[in-house]
Amino acid sequence: MTESVLEFSGVRKVFRAGKARVVALEEVSFRLRPGVVTGVLGPDGAGKTTLMRLAAALLVPDAGRVRVLGHDVAAEPQAIQSVIGYMPQRFGLYEDLSVQENLDLYADLQGIPARARRARYDTLLHMTGLGPFTRRLAGRLSGGMKQKLGLACALLREPPLLVLDEPTVGVDPVSRRELWAIVDAQVREQGMSVLLSTAYLDEAERCAEILLLEGGRLVAQGSPRAFADEVAGRVYVLAGVDLPPRRLQRRLQAVPGIVDALLVGDHVRIVTAAPRPPALQAHFPDQPGLRLVPVSPRFEDAFIARLATRGAEGAGAPPPAPPAPTRAAPPPAGTAEDVVIEVRDLERRFGAFRAVRGVSFTVRRGEIFGLLGANGAGKTTTFRMLCGLLPPSGGTARVAGVDLRHAAARARARIGYMAQRFSLYGNLTVAQNLRFFAAAYGLAGARRRARIDWAYAEFELGRYRDFVAAQLPLGFRQRLAFAAALMHEPEILFLDEPTSGVDPLARREFWQRVNALVEAGVTVLVTTHFMEEANYCDRLVIMAEGRILAEGTPAALRARFRTPQNPEPTMEDAFIGLIEEAA
Amino acid sequence: MIGILRHVLALAVKEFLALVRDPRSRFVLIGPPIAQLIVFGYAATFDLDHVPVAVYNEDRGALGRALVARIAGSPHFDVVAAPDSEAALAALVDRRTVLLALHLPQDFSRNLHRGLIAQVQAILDGRNSNTAMIALNYLRRILIDFDTRLARESGHPPPPARLEMRAWYNANLSSRWFIVPGIVGLLTLVVTLVVTSLSVAREREQGTFDQLLVTPLRPAEILVGKALPGLAIGLAEGTVIISLVVFWFGVPLRGSLAALYLGLALFLLSAIGIGLMISAIAVTQQQAMLGAFLFLVPAVILSGFATPIANMPPLVQQLSLLDPLRYFLVVIRGVFLEGADIAAMQDQYWPMLLIGLVSLVVAGGLFRHRMY
Amino acid sequence: MAAGRALRLRGMIRKETLQILRDPSSIAIAFVLPVVLLFLFGYGVSLDSYHVPVGLVIEAPDAATASFRGAFEHSEYFRPVLYRDIRAAEADLAAHRIQGIVWLRADFERRVLAGDGGAVAVRVNGVDANQARITEGYIQGAWLHWLEEHAGVPLRGARLEPRVWFNAALISRHFLVPGLIAIIMTLIGSLLTAMVVAREWDRGTVEAMMVTPLHIGEMVVGKLVPYFLLGMGGMLFTVALAVWQFGVPLRGSFALLLGSGALFMLVALGMGLLISILAKNQFVAGQIAIVVTFLPAFILSGFLFEIRAMPVPIQVLTHVVPARYFVAILQSLFLAGDVWPVVLPNLGALALLALLLFALVRKKARKRLA
């Protein structure tokens, strides 16, 4: 059979938003390799979701052709939709139906005969580990379980082509690992072809083939290995350095010729612009023992190198300037008595459900303290209790010596808060948002103008001044939210999932800013489900099911899972290890 | 103090901008009021014009013809059919071709000439009993006029003991004068309630409410900051509609504007309080809208907007005491038609003030305690 | 193929039913609001005035005024309040304590009853014009009755012998409650359906549903069936309450009622579906549904306000309000009977609207995004 599973030829797709025309895809052509997993990668707004929807015949191309299993999406959408499996971004589940009812619904819709159902359900429920939860409402499942249920619904009739749109977003590492196991098994046993989009760069390594999208164009197609080879000889790990890794990373970012400097485990990994080692000695005269150890490149290195080079060519995005030192500049890295946040035996129940169970930890001045865990682990609930947004059912949470729930307005003026999803007034402009938050924090007159000007300069928001916040690119929304939280130069920063959904480049920039603030004496409490970001924290707790599984420095936590087979465990390995220990 | 003012002002400005810049909110501010103004201003009336009438006139005399001419000449009635049997007459009522069917018997003129009682049989379609009753009243008036004139022309003594009817405040008994000023209350209630009830829910959905609560703003400041735009929009919308009622619909405004605006302000206060209560309870905008709808429907029905409160059973009448629209409608009709001043309306002011204050306090409490 | 279709339909219907039962806002619209409306209109709202407070100003009491007073006191329409002085009565009329005044002057018996041209002055508060007219009518009726029965005044002239068909006692509940059926079915068929279907777009479940063998027609039918049944349930509930609780007569045939109800339900559902397809957003769908379906059903259908009393342009507008046709059918079926000349044209209009709406739904409904 010469007919390919999925074929795009010269595809163009344009959306109209009001008067504006947005080109989502332009001149996209490829043939899907059958029987393997193909990953679709790219920054936000690159056209990933549009491509997935075209493949599912939910959209019709404005130019070019899309053929799926021999059918044209414009002519025979139903023929395509009747055979392929598709999981949209939010998993397509009915949250007010139970697990079993969702399965029954999709089995009915897909015409699975009653006889065949039992066996198929058993296989899928076993594979996804959802067996014990069949009567639970889908809305009450954790993110990982929802994702697996969504996948099970898409797999009910063993489709020849499976289309998964960002199936792993916001899902904990254990569930991600399980999802990949299920997908790999389908590919292996059924010869299924899988098209999968993802924002996690480490997942690219698991794909047999990568489609790299940028600005609506397909810029490259190939195996992850082929991508990594682009940066062969340009990736090194620094050794023999006597500096905290975070400070080292910060200094490296200022060195010309280095496109990426990333904390990996205890090391700093760099990608250079040219295939020769950079002359670092000139920049680090204080580090005579500094050595560069060449390592084999990964897909992520190539991806960042591509984006960074492109960004530098463009008009915007100059290298981030070091942030202005903040007003609060107390002694760095606190001593034991310098406790800023103290949490003791914190409890929170919602009805019979115990969302947080006896959580205790302390955060010292000038620390980055992380709350790590999957969705539903209780980190956001803990976080909200700390900020005084939710009354605890038991225990205490004190910030700067006071309970924020009953604190005077003055105490709240000392904290900055960045909510999940970068909560801004979406229909106000950037300038209006900044003015409002400055006033809300009690700034007035010259000081307010000065801080707003600072925000424009520091976050490069000046040219977006009159843009409506909701229409900003996600990375800029994140910057605006961060700027709003910093308006009043707070001593303590609360960041709830500050990097969720933004692309890797914006994440790196964000952490650079946080590092600079911490060096100026600000205390930061951050929640994240990106395991690799844990390396930015001084100390962290890992939470699961409302409990703290472990507490310590990232290095110490990783070290617990060092084995002969895995001498360099990642944070993800540590996390999975801890979950398995707890189970 | 200056700090508080600055906070409240910043909030109010932000709130106002968010409202005006949001297409959905703009729609709420413009769409329903226009639709309702048209619909209520023209369609909601109990006055009858051009009621279709069928007359089966068996009388050969001039007086029968004169009566029919008189009915046909009235603006309230149109004679559309002249069937020639009682069965045909009845069929016209049955199929709703006519609302009223008259039968003048053969001896109609003769009896009148003899100074006896002459019967006119009338069949009314009672499928809408209110319409039937109104038509009947119109018809009665025409007959009384007819008798009076007949007596004068024929030299008989005039019918003894007339009633001389006069209606205060609304001499022509136009129900538009009754309904149209009420629209001021109805529309400002709808707009203010929807705007305020959506305001907190919208922030909850966008996640900005948390952001607001962790700033140094106090709950009371947030409350006032959210209430002010509602008040401003309510007053503006109220003013526009009051002008339309006066200049477009031509309803006389006889009383004191001060009394009207004091009532409007207090009424808006209570509407804002209730809106914020709904807002504090609702988690999503959809729930908030549903909550507003569930409040609005009974509030309008029980307010006396279209049907008199006095006709309701005692228990329902007591329930309507909780309805701020009930009081405001008395104020607005009092000021428009009866020329009322502040002193005359004081019994209406304090219940609205009470409802407003209680609901604002409750809303403030809900803000503090229902943060999730 | 047919088996697959039955399976898919079953799945859709089961899903929708479960969702209605588990969603509090569906329950609020489908169950709470109709009951609230029924009780408000069944018990609360009434256009029938009884015990209207009327001031009787009797300046010189004597046998004639006593008999006149008795006539008012024994009537269920009035609650007479006695005054000796017109000024006190006028003050109370201004203060809304009484609705009207009948002023029997000192010369009442001498002049008025003697027929020398005097008149009895009647004042009513005209603010609520409708009530004022009703009060005037009551007073007029009571007056004529009293003259004939008690005063022995010889009457002559034309006298009206009114007979009100279908609702002889002029009970407004008898026409309001049947009309309410149209309102409740509009709530369920249009408002609820518009919001629930739009919710699928909001939550992104439509996408997953589209990429299945489900045909667009099956999707529409699967969505319609549960809401159709819910609406018919609402109708039966209202009919039962109307007949057994509120004593409204059902003179027409039940089968015809059921049939025309089903047709109207289809129209309401068609509007709901169309709105949700066009809005694709729960909030906007809800707003549009209220403005386009609920309010017109309330005001422009003849449910409360007589269509024939409206200005001509508005009367023309009412022709696109489906509830108008159904309210006409309902009022005839309940109070008059199977009046085919009324029922048939209205049914025809409903059928036409149903066809039009479903043609539009079919045109607009796509298994596509954007």
Side-chain angles (χ1 to χ4, degrees), chain C residues 29 41 72 99 101 132 145 149 233 243 245 251 260-261 273 285 292 298 348 356:
Chain C
I29 297 180
F41 278 89
F72 268 67
Q99 278 286 311
I101 299 173
H145 189 70
E149 298 282 309
V243 172
Q245 182 67 32
R251 299 196 173 106
S260 46
L273 270 180
V292 174
F298 223 97
L356 187 74

Side-chain angles (χ1 to χ4, degrees), chain C residues 53-231:
Chain C
V54 170
L56 286 185
V57 182
I58 300 177
E59 290 182 350
D62 56 24
T65 58
S67 130
F68 186 76
R69 203 180 106 191
F72 268 67
E73 273 167 356
H74 290 119
S75 158
E76 58 174 343
Y77 295 117
F78 301 109
R79 186 170 58 76
V81 183
L82 292 183
Y83 299 90
R84 295 297 297 271
D85 177 17
I86 183 68
R87 270 168 310 203
E90 286 190 338
D92 277 1
L93 182 65
H96 298 244
R97 275 188 281 273
I98 50 176
Q99 278 286 311
I101 299 173
V102 181
W103 186 9
L104 307 181
R105 277 179 245 246
D107 58 1
F108 173 63
E109 186 155 22
R110 185 165 47 80
R111 289 190 58 209
V112 178
L113 290 185
D116 66 352
V120 173
V122 173
R123 307 275 175 271
V124 292
N125 185 332
V127 170
D128 184 343
N130 192 44
Q131 282 306 300
R133 229 166 0 228
I134 289 170
T135 308
E136 278 185 2
Y138 285 170
I139 293 174
Q140 184 87 49
W143 171 247
L144 290 175
H145 189 70
W146 178 76
L147 279 181
E148 202 173 1
E149 298 282 309
H150 301 278
V153 174
L155 289 180
R156 59 176 87 83
R159 191 172 55 179
L160 201 58
E161 285 203 336
R163 276 179 295 156
V164 179
W165 278 11
F166 314 128
N167 187 358
L170 288 172
I171 302 170
S172 63
R173 185 197 281 170
H174 283 188
F175 81 88
L176 288 176
V177 172
L180 203 54
I181 293 173
I183 307 279
I184 289 173
M185 290 172 85
T186 304
L187 269 180
I188 295 174
S190 299
L191 182 61
L192 183 61
T193 309
M195 288 176 77
V196 171
V197 179
R199 188 174 60 193
E200 296 237 356
W201 290 93
D202 269 358
R203 296 194 183 163
T205 42
V206 154
E207 268 181 71
M209 173 132 317
M210 283 174 171
V211 188
T212 64
L214 186 70
H215 288 273
I216 189 69
E218 294 162 357
M219 199 158 155
V220 169
V221 172
K223 289 233 166 250
L224 288 185
V225 169
Y227 292 97
F228 182 80
L229 293 178
L230 193 64

Side-chain angles (χ1 to χ4, degrees), chain B residues 226-307:
Chain B
K226 295 226 160 260
L228 279 181
L231 194 65
I233 288 172
L235 281 174
E237 191 124 4
T239 304
V240 170
I241 302 168
I242 288 170
S243 318
L244 283 174
V245 170
V246 175
F247 298 111
W248 180 260
F249 288 101
V251 180
L253 177 60
R254 296 175 175 139
S256 101
L257 269 180
L260 184 58
Y261 274 87
L262 178 62
L264 181 59
L266 290 173
F267 173 61
L268 288 174
L269 188 75
S270 53
I272 289 166
I274 292 165
L276 287 176
M277 257 166 66
I278 294 172
S279 200
I281 297 168
V283 179
T284 62
Q285 293 197 67
Q286 187 238 337
Q287 286 180 5
M289 197 177 67
L290 208 64
F293 189 62
L294 281 176
F295 171 80
L296 273 173
V297 171
V300 171
I301 292 173
L302 292 181
S303 67
F305 174 74
T307 62

